[in-house]
Amino acid sequence: EVVATSERYAVRRLPFSRLGDGDVAFFERVLPGRVVSGEDEVKPFNVDWLKSMRGCSQLVLKPQTTAEVSQVLRYCHERNLAVTPQGGNTGLVGGSVPVFDEIILSTALMNQIISFDKVSGILVCQAGCVLERLNEYLEEQGFIMPLDLGAKGSCHIGGNVATNAGGLRLLRYGSLRGTVLGLEVVLADGSALDCLASLRKDNTGYDLKQLFIGSEGTLGVITAVSILCPQKPKAVNVAFLGCQSFAKVLETFTTCRAMLGEILSAYEFMDEKCMELVERHLKLSSPVTGSPFYVLIETSGSNSTHDEEKLNNFLEQATASGLVTDGTVATDDKKIKASQHFLFHKSLRPGFTLWSLRERITEALTHEGYVYKYDISLPVEKLYDLVTDMRARLGQSAKNVVGYGHLGDGNLHLNITAESYSHSLLDAIEPFVYEWTARCSGSISAEHGLGFKKKQFIQYSKPGEAVALMQRFKAMLDPKGILNPYKTLPSAP
């Protein structure tokens, strides 16, 4: 059997066992009332968020405990049944849906908070907790999650960790590789690895959790997470600014970082085409218009007077030096007094409207037809050159070529839209986009992972020796290859 799941890359089904009636009966005994097998009921789990990949799994399992996950995987290992772990299924590279008939192991019911220490700020929870729910729980305690994503209302913390999700707060709080203190993981053979430490410092042996952070469910199934959470900032301000060139976006960032220092929590950029699509498809009106580029800056700190003074000084400097031509500010306290060039906007929920302009770009793009999505890390000074070069290369064959992303950490989201999928357009994009990125010593995946769609391009970012070592880890931890097959790594030679 051969399938071209991403409409381009054909893969052959590996010799895993077929699901039988006896298998279903076993799972129903282990997970009473939590086995989904009807065709219509299983269908949503088989399709990714972009609707660009579709598997044909016949079974979704919904365990509630680590012990149940262990039972399931032990059985699947013995029976040689392939498994696709699935969290909120918000991934963009086809990593969380089956390619063929793999059993879907959903963490949707593993949504319990195990503990929270208000002194240390350490949260321990099951992998299926939705990111936004965790943040709401923590806010009541005076804390927040160290990551924030546009998909926060659906994505699971386990999936976030499995893909090493970056998101909107990385500039301030760092990556999950730094904030995750411990993990509980079930390996392919069903054995549970309890490394659920709640210590900031632990220098005993190899840091095993790092193997599973970013492994996309190919080495083990994350069942619980211990994560360090920062205190909720008492003062949050959001500024949305217009810049006349990308050079000015970069210069504004340099000035911003120097003047705002420790209170700078996000620096996002988007081009005018992104704003046009958000306004057209989602009816969100931007209070700042007429600029080729836009910047969203968030500050968060403990002293509103101090923060506002710093932000005011920065805005005055940015407008006086011509870096910024227009802007608006939202605050949770009162309107910020700044340069008269600014049109002020006060939102009921601090920064809500302004953040929506950035967070919902992905949603707006889906209204444009077929979307080719690329998540790239580059040196910041070259970040937008890729968009410009791609626009020139594709010309009229693409409907839109847009760029936006986390400029503070060098992460570009390049999106190309067309009325429908086209082989010839994809051939014009790939591997050009990866070759361009490799020439700049960038990464072909900044935060979405490799999944199914990018696994065959890993050599553009990692040397052959590194890929071979990854394949050896995979073979050691999952000798039968049952965990999320066809994903992340190219097939072993």
Side-chain angles (χ1 to χ4, degrees), residues 292-314:
F293 293 93
Y294 297 93
V295 168
L296 186 148
I297 297 168
E298 182 187 80
T299 67
S300 49
S302 58
N303 187 314
S304 59
T305 305
H306 167 268
D307 293 2
E308 286 179 21
E309 184 181 351
K310 289 187 101 162
L311 184 57
N312 289 342
N313 290 340
F314 159 70

Side-chain angles (χ1 to χ4, degrees), residues 36-188:
V36 182
S37 58
E39 186 178 340
D40 290 341
E41 289 82 2
V42 171
K43 195 174 181 180
F45 297 88
N46 269 312
V47 186
D48 72 328
W49 187 81
L50 290 171
K51 296 183 170 54
S52 64
M53 286 193 58
R54 191 180 302 272
C56 50
S57 177
Q58 301 161 43
L59 202 67
V60 178
L61 306 179
K62 293 185 171 184
Q64 290 178 315
T65 66
T66 300
E68 288 177 345
V69 175
S70 290
Q71 281 183 278
V72 166
L73 289 187
R74 188 177 301 114
Y75 182 86
C76 289
H77 186 260
E78 289 170 359
R79 280 275 294 118
N80 197 33
L81 290 164
V83 177
T84 294
Q86 187 177 101
N89 198 16
T90 59
L92 302 179
V93 290
S96 59
V97 290
V99 175
F100 293 96
D101 55 348
E102 299 90 275
I103 293 167
I104 296 170
L105 181 65
S106 169
T107 57
L109 299 182
M110 301 186 72
N111 57 6
Q112 300 300 305
I113 291 170
I114 299 168
S115 66
F116 178 65
D117 186 329
K118 292 183 72 169
V119 176
S120 65
I122 296 169
L123 171 76
V124 181
C125 65
Q126 286 187 299
C129 291
V130 173
L131 181 59
E132 191 168 41
R133 300 289 88 76
L134 287 177
N135 205 66
E136 289 169 354
Y137 167 82
L138 287 168
E139 284 195 351
E140 293 174 3
Q141 317 284 324
F143 288 77
I144 58 170
M145 288 296 286
L147 76 159
D148 186 19
L149 310 171
K152 60 192 166 200
S154 307
C155 65
H156 296 182
I157 188 62
N160 298 149
V161 173
T163 56
N164 190 31
L168 306 163
R169 289 177 178 162
L170 191 139
L171 177 64
R172 176 69 175 272
Y173 300 118
S175 76
L176 284 171
R177 293 197 177 279
T179 53
V180 170
L181 303 178
L183 293 176
E184 184 179 64
V185 181
V186 178
L187 303 181

Side-chain angles (χ1 to χ4, degrees), residues 155-330:
C155 65
H156 296 182
I157 188 62
N160 298 149
V161 173
T163 56
N164 190 31
L168 306 163
R169 289 177 178 162
L170 191 139
L171 177 64
R172 176 69 175 272
Y173 300 118
S175 76
L176 284 171
R177 293 197 177 279
T179 53
V180 170
L181 303 178
L183 293 176
E184 184 179 64
V185 181
V186 178
L187 303 181
D189 64 359
S191 56
L193 180 66
D194 184 356
C195 290
L196 204 57
S198 293
L199 299 171
R200 295 287 300 276
K201 302 175 84 172
D202 179 4
N203 226 359
T204 52
Y206 305 135
D207 190 1
L208 294 179
K209 69 176 180 291
Q210 296 296 346
L211 264 182
F212 302 98
I213 299 173
S215 67
E216 304 184 66
T218 62
L219 299 180
V221 176
I222 295 170
T223 54
V225 177
S226 170
I227 189 165
L228 180 66
C229 302
Q231 283 194 301
K232 180 183 177 182
K234 294 185 174 68
V236 177
N237 301 299
V238 180
F240 194 79
L241 316 174
C243 294
Q244 291 305 305
S245 68
F246 191 71
K248 285 195 160 67
V249 170
L250 291 174
E251 204 177 333
T252 302
F253 176 57
T254 304
T255 306
C256 172
R257 194 168 47 178
M259 296 187 71
L260 298 181
E262 79 289 348
I263 65 168
L264 178 62
S265 53
Y267 190 98
E268 302 285 309
F269 92 97
M270 56 226 80
D271 60 23
E272 60 183 339
K273 180 59 74 172
C274 289
M275 284 302 95
E276 181 189 313
L277 296 177
V278 166
E279 291 185 0
R280 184 195 312 161
H281 296 303
L282 306 180
K283 310 303 180 199
L284 293 178
S285 57
S286 170
V288 182
T289 57
S291 296
F293 293 93
Y294 297 93
V295 168
L296 186 148
I297 297 168
E298 182 187 80
T299 67
S300 49
S302 58
N303 187 314
S304 59
T305 305
H306 167 268
D307 293 2
E308 286 179 21
E309 184 181 351
K310 289 187 101 162
L311 184 57
N312 289 342
N313 290 340
F314 159 70
L315 294 176
E316 287 172 8
Q317 170 72 24
T319 50
S321 57
L323 296 178
V324 170
T325 51
D326 193 8
T328 182
V329 177

Side-chain angles (χ1 to χ4, degrees), residues 453-470:
K453 293 180 179 179
K454 287 186 176 183
K455 65 167 188 169
Q456 68 276 16
F457 297 117
I458 191 173
Q459 73 275 8
Y460 287 103
S461 292
K462 290 290 186 291
E465 295 83 0
V467 175
L469 186 57
M470 292 180 201

Side-chain angles (χ1 to χ4, degrees), residues 214-216 218 450-452 454-455 458 484 486-490:
S215 67
E216 304 184 66
T218 62
L450 296 166
F452 178 83
K454 287 186 176 183
K455 65 167 188 169
I458 191 173
N484 222 8
Y486 324 105
K487 316 282 179 60
T488 307
L489 296 178

